[in-house]
Amino acid sequence: MFDIRVQGAPFDYGHECARFAGGRSDTGAIVTFCGIVRGDGALETMEIEHYPGMTERALRQIAKEAARRWALGGIMIIHRFGQLVPGEQIMMVATASAHRADAFAAADFLMDYLKSRAPFWKKEMRKDGTSWVAAKASDEDALMRW
Amino acid sequence: MKLDVLYFAWLRERIGCARETVETEATTVSGLVEELRAREERYTLAFSDLASLRVAIDQELRDFDAPLDGAREIAFFPPMTGG
């Protein structure tokens, strides 16, 4: 039901999507999302720190909550940590369901909770200095929708 | 009581360590924060605004007024920025 991975290594988005979608006979919809390090000309690298142990636990709790709310046939979450450069894939989620409404809603829910309830912190190394990415009030507000 | 205390992100950088063992008399997270603040200036500065910090007890998010009884690992960190 749950495939949850926290890793430093890159992942192959196409391969993971195909693997997740394969061999399902009771599924009518798959939704996938991939987060990418957004470059802006000044960003050199992004470092992602996490809390080993709690991260896996928090992701599993978030996935369990999604599975409780919607009729899902599967959930995949991959989230990387370590040093990444613009253009690199940071994370992905995938949801499988009989109908698309549940798959879309669950993927949206997972992303909102991943943003502010999974113990990851981003630090940006920019041409003009280094800084930790601050959490946005809008990320916290997004949880109120659910 | 002996606790493993962990710090992440800018809090880790300000305090200058990622993990330490702390001997405490505190019964709540806030009590532990008071003890840490009294230690040295770097702790006082790091814990000056609790609204900008989060805490986990044994890897579960909790409030600062949560009791410490039976806790083994306390982690302090800024609001999370995953995704």
Side-chain angles (χ1 to χ4, degrees), chain A residues 49 51 120-123 132, chain B residues 12-13 60 73 78 81 83:
Chain A
E49 180 172 331
Y51 181 175
F120 290 100
W121 301 274
K122 296 189 182 116
K123 188 179 189 177
W132 288 95
Chain B
R12 169 178 55 71
E13 292 178 339
E60 292 279 352
E73 185 175 289
T81 51

Side-chain angles (χ1 to χ4, degrees), chain A residues 115-116 118 120-121 133-136 140, chain B residues 9-10 51-54 77-82:
Chain A
K115 279 252 165 223
S116 43
F120 290 100
W121 301 274
V133 174
K136 293 190 197 82
E140 197 59 35
Chain B
W10 58 255
S52 66
L53 292 176
R54 301 288 178 267
F77 41 79
M80 296 157 272
T81 51

Side-chain angles (χ1 to χ4, degrees), chain A residues 49-54 57 61 79 90-91 111 114-123 132-135, chain B residues 6-10 12-13 19 54 56-61 73-83:
Chain A
E49 180 172 331
H50 81 116
Y51 181 175
M54 180 173 167
R57 208 171 149 137
Q61 280 171 357
H79 204 302
I90 303 177
M91 52 84 58
M111 286 313 304
L114 269 165
K115 279 252 165 223
S116 43
R117 290 293 182 274
F120 290 100
W121 301 274
K122 296 189 182 116
K123 188 179 189 177
W132 288 95
V133 174
Chain B
L6 282 67
Y7 310 105
F8 291 94
W10 58 255
R12 169 178 55 71
E13 292 178 339
R19 171 190 279 267
R54 301 288 178 267
I57 301 179
D58 292 328
Q59 307 190 348
E60 292 279 352
L61 273 180
E73 185 175 289
I74 309 295
F76 294 104
F77 41 79
M80 296 157 272
T81 51

Side-chain angles (χ1 to χ4, degrees), chain B residues 14-33:
Chain B
R14 277 185 211 175
I15 289 172
C17 86
R19 171 190 279 267
E20 61 184 332
T21 304
V22 172
E23 184 67 50
T24 179
E25 301 288 314
T27 56
T28 62
V29 176
S30 328
L32 173 65
V33 169

